[in-house]
Amino acid sequence: MNKLIRFISVLMLTVFFICNCSKDNSTESQPVNGKITASATGITGQNGNIYAVSAYDSDWSPGSNSPTIAGIMGTITSDNFSFTQNLKAVDDQSPGGLSSEDMSFEPKTYSVVFYVAALGSPPQHYAEVRMEVNGDVTATAPDWANWAHPQ
């Protein structure tokens, strides 16, 4: 009788172990909205010019007429300038056309374009990065020397 109890106990533990190991315990995470933080460092020789960053819901290219969905803008205040800011939603009713609220981006790929221009002039320098949003991400501009510098 004692051997039968041991056998049943071992059998029950084995069945329990097999059942628990065969369960699919994987949890596939769902895509989530996120913010895009734009960051650029080492912008040289542009003191007094304007910088801007725009996000596009399409694959941007120079001359593209895709609408900007989010962005930031400011003045370059030194000869070796850097910034890090969250992109703001476009809002035509807000001063400057940008909301004061950070944009919440749906999970997918966006073009983030960094610009530098003299006040009142079209952008003279730009760089684009593609960002896959699935939670908060940072769009980092390439080194200044790698931006497009048309003459």
Side-chain angles (χ1 to χ4, degrees), residues 84-108:
T84 300
Q85 292 177 267
N86 288 340
L87 298 185
K88 309 296 183 186
V90 169
D91 180 357
D92 293 335
Q93 304 303 313
S94 295
L98 296 172
S99 169
S100 61
E101 299 295 319
D102 293 345
M103 173 86 170
S104 178
F105 292 86
E106 294 179 9
K108 62 182 184 177

Side-chain angles (χ1 to χ4, degrees), residues 7-20:
F7 176 74
I8 291 173
S9 297
V10 169
L11 181 62
M12 289 177 63
L13 284 172
T14 303
V15 169
F16 176 76
F17 179 74
I18 290 171
C19 288
N20 279 335

Side-chain angles (χ1 to χ4, degrees), residues 32-90:
V32 295
N33 288 5
K35 296 175 185 170
I36 296 178
T37 302
S39 179
T41 59
I43 299 172
T44 58
Q46 300 300 310
N47 191 18
N49 286 342
I50 303 299
Y51 72 89
V53 179
S54 297
Y56 298 91
D57 195 8
S58 61
D59 191 6
W60 179 87
S61 62
S64 171
N65 59 1
S66 297
T68 300
I69 60 169
I72 55 172
M73 188 166 56
T75 302
I76 297 173
T77 58
S78 69
D79 283 325
N80 189 1
F81 186 74
S82 300
F83 66 87
T84 300
Q85 292 177 267
N86 288 340
L87 298 185
K88 309 296 183 186
V90 169

